[in-house]
Structures are given as C-alpha cells and as structure tokens.
Amino acid sequence: ISENSQKSHWDYTQYNNNNYNNALQIFNSFTPSEKYFESLNKELNNYLAVTNTNISNLKNIYQEHLEKIENLIQNGLSEKYEIKFGHYGSFFSNLSIEGSDLDILIYYHKKKEENDLYKDVLNLLQQNENEFESICPILTASVPVIKLEINIKDEIKDIKLKNTSYFEEEDLSRIKIDLTFTEIEQDFQHSHAVVSYINKSLTEYPLIKPILLLLKRYFKEMKMNKSYTGRLCSYSLFLLVLSFCKCNKQ
C-alpha cells in the first residue's frame, strides 16, 4: 500500500471518527420535548396509515398476478408433476411494506424421476417472458429460487395511492415475486404453520405490526433488507420484535 493510500485511508477514518464524535455530542446534548415526541408520533402514525392503505389498494392487483402465475405453472406442467402452492411471508401475514416480495412455495411430486421442476418452470416462464419485467434464477441459494418482477405501472394509474412521496416509484410500480421449490411435505406444511403463528402473535401482541413495519422501513432505507447479503430476513425481524413485546408486556 502506497504512502498516499495510507494517508488517504487515515484521513477518511479520521473524518468518520470526527463525524461520529460530533454526532454523539449533539445527541447527548439533545433533550427532546413532549412536543417533539408528539410530532414524531404523528409522523410515524401517518406513515403507517399511508402504507396500510396503499398495500390494501394494491392487494387485488397482486392477487390477480399471483393467480396468473400459478395457473400458468399448473396448466403448463400438470402432465409431468402434481403441484400445490403454498404462500408465506410478509404479504400473506399483512406485514408487508411498499416493495416487499411475495413468496410462493411450490410443493410437487414428479411423475417421472428424470423430471426437473426448477428447469421446467424456468423454461415455461421464459417462454412467456413478455409477461415479466425480469426473470432471475438463483442457483447458488441454499434453496433454489426464481425471482420475478412484473411491471404494473399502467394498472395502478386509476388507483388512488396516498402520499407517494414516501416511496420510490419502483416500489409501487413493480411486483416482486420469489418462487421456491420443495418435494418435502413438511416444508409445505411449515409454510402454513409459520403464517398461522404470525397471525396468532399479531392478535396477542397488536404492537408487533407498527413496530415491525417501521423497523422494516428503516432497514430498507439503510440497505440492510436483503437476507442473501447476510442481513436479517423479515421473519427474523418479526421474531426480534415478538421477543421485545413479550419482554415488555406493559
């Protein structure tokens, strides 16, 4: 490493340290008033209301595209496989924010041993590529995934979405779908059990939802919301908030 590079690195580190120390001094000297908390609470509640309304207004469009994909796969591959679809994740637990993925688990039995559902689904989707903005297979994942994006910009023109300044256009104009695959019935049952457990917990601890939605938005802003980069997945965040609520029942 050259002397100039070392100096540049030291300057950058020193700059960050100075910024941190300055921020810490400001934070320590800041005494929030009751008015500040009232204003913050109002803004957070407004964001939650806007998010819930927009997701609710988009739900029918999301459902239509999910059914379209499931029908495409079922009708196109029923001669080679017995297929069931399981739904899990934030959208099906009513815990999604703008831009959240929709998760579909495909549970199947081969009618012939040499059949490969992952490749067959990928080929089928590519044959209908005009329906999708992108089709991205991820073979390196521990569980094989096909990531889909669908452009719904034209479909949402007539929908009254609230305060879109909160969101990036991409978050509202695209549906992101993850397709995963399993031959193990226990995995399929587990996806239903997880959704049931989340819904039961939400009934018992209503504060989970607002805390989790705000936390998910913060993680998204900080670029910390992609589990395949080593970050926490949505379910891990849910368990974190659930644990917090259980430990702070008051």
Side-chain angles (χ1 to χ4, degrees):
I1 303 175
S2 69
E3 186 178 337
N4 286 339
S5 295
Q6 288 179 338
K7 184 177 185 303
S8 173
H9 176 73
W10 184 89
D11 288 344
Y12 178 74
T13 304
Q14 191 67 22
Y15 171 77
N16 277 345
N17 287 340
N18 289 339
N19 271 1
Y20 172 77
N21 289 331
N22 290 338
L24 194 60
Q25 286 177 8
I26 293 170
F27 178 78
N28 287 334
S29 64
F30 176 61
T31 305
S33 64
E34 187 176 338
K35 188 176 180 180
Y36 168 83
F37 282 116
E38 288 175 359
S39 177
L40 178 62
N41 188 56
K42 184 178 179 181
E43 187 174 347
L44 293 176
N45 281 324
N46 185 54
Y47 165 71
L48 291 170
V50 167
T51 297
N52 289 330
T53 300
N54 286 341
I55 294 296
S56 178
N57 288 339
L58 291 169
K59 203 162 191 173
N60 287 339
I61 294 177
Y62 287 8
Q63 291 284 10
E64 286 174 13
H65 283 282
L66 282 176
E67 289 174 12
K68 203 172 180 181
I69 290 169
E70 290 176 1
N71 288 336
L72 175 66
I73 294 171
Q74 188 73 263
N75 296 334
L77 299 175
S78 59
E79 292 183 4
K80 299 175 72 175
Y81 305 92
E82 293 175 9
I83 294 173
K84 291 182 181 178
F85 298 97
H87 302 140
Y88 64 101
S90 302
F91 178 74
F92 300 101
S93 304
N94 295 313
L95 290 173
S96 58
I97 61 169
E98 66 291 343
S100 290
D101 295 340
L102 279 63
D103 300 295
I104 303 176
L105 176 64
I106 303 177
Y107 169 57
Y108 66 98
H109 287 297
K110 300 176 183 179
K111 293 185 178 179
K112 290 184 179 179
E113 187 58 35
E114 65 270 18
N115 291 345
D116 186 331
L117 181 66
Y118 185 88
K119 289 182 179 178
D120 286 338
V121 168
L122 183 58
N123 288 336
L124 186 61
L125 294 172
Q126 289 172 338
Q127 289 167 18
N128 294 269
E129 61 182 356
N130 292 337
E131 300 287 333
F132 306 101
E133 183 88 353
S134 69
I135 303 169
C136 180
I138 302 180
L139 296 168
T140 55
S142 56
V143 177
V145 180
I146 299 176
K147 287 184 169 289
L148 305 174
E149 285 194 17
I150 302 171
N151 193 320
I152 57 168
K153 195 172 184 177
D154 292 336
E155 297 176 61
I156 63 174
K157 284 180 180 177
D158 298 328
I159 296 178
K160 293 180 179 179
L161 297 173
K162 287 192 170 186
N163 205 338
T164 53
S165 61
Y166 275 132
F167 319 113
E168 296 178 16
E169 182 183 353
E170 179 182 330
D171 291 333
L172 296 173
S173 63
R174 284 181 174 81
I175 302 175
K176 298 174 184 178
I177 300 172
D178 285 355
L179 300 178
T180 52
F181 305 80
T182 186
E183 291 184 84
I184 303 170
E185 186 175 3
Q186 190 175 357
D187 290 346
F188 182 70
Q189 293 173 347
H190 180 68
S191 66
H192 291 287
V194 167
V195 173
S196 297
Y197 177 65
I198 291 173
N199 289 334
K200 180 183 175 184
S201 299
L202 290 174
T203 302
E204 191 172 354
Y205 301 99
L207 274 177
I208 288 176
K209 183 170 182 176
I211 295 173
L212 184 58
L213 293 184
L214 292 170
L215 192 57
K216 287 174 75 170
R217 179 56 192 255
Y218 174 76
F219 270 61
K220 182 180 175 67
E221 290 293 324
M222 295 295 105
K223 312 296 183 187
M224 294 165 57
N225 60 328
K226 304 295 183 185
S227 58
Y228 55 80
T229 64
R231 308 307 200 253
L232 290 176
C233 67
S234 292
Y235 187 60
S236 295
L237 285 178
F238 162 76
L239 293 176
L240 187 70
V241 175
L242 174 60
S243 177
F244 172 80
C245 289
K246 284 184 174 181
C247 293
N248 297 273
K249 289 186 178 182
Q250 68 275 20

